[in-house]
Amino acid sequence: TNPSSGGVIASGGRPGRAGKVIRTDGNIRFALQLAEHLHKSLDEINELSTFELTLWSAYFNLKSRDNGA
């Protein structure tokens, strides 16, 4: 991982817990949402800078608010 990486996804973990982790961990849910939106792998998302991740997070929050969600 590069030094400016946001590193939203920690390595490791148990596969059986994936559903629970996705439901309860906002960072992982955000990373999956962003990966889907950008058509990127989680490894590629994990290489984004903290600044870029912050911008995408703000974008999704504004979009959600605008849609009344």
Side-chain angles (χ1 to χ4, degrees):
T1 306
N2 76 43
S4 65
S5 172
V8 286
I9 303 296
S11 61
R14 297 191 321 244
R17 295 185 58 226
K20 180 178 181 181
V21 170
I22 290 169
R23 285 189 303 274
T24 60
D25 189 318
N27 287 336
I28 291 176
R29 186 185 306 213
F30 166 68
L32 290 168
Q33 181 183 20
L34 185 56
E36 179 181 46
H37 184 78
L38 297 177
H39 304 283
K40 302 282 185 183
S41 71
L42 289 176
D43 283 340
E44 291 171 304
I45 297 303
N46 222 25
E47 292 298 318
L48 297 175
S49 70
T50 302
F51 177 72
E52 189 168 2
L53 290 168
T54 301
L55 289 176
W56 277 110
S57 179
Y59 168 77
F60 284 130
N61 286 334
L62 287 172
K63 187 175 176 181
S64 176
R65 189 178 341 150
D66 289 347
N67 290 332

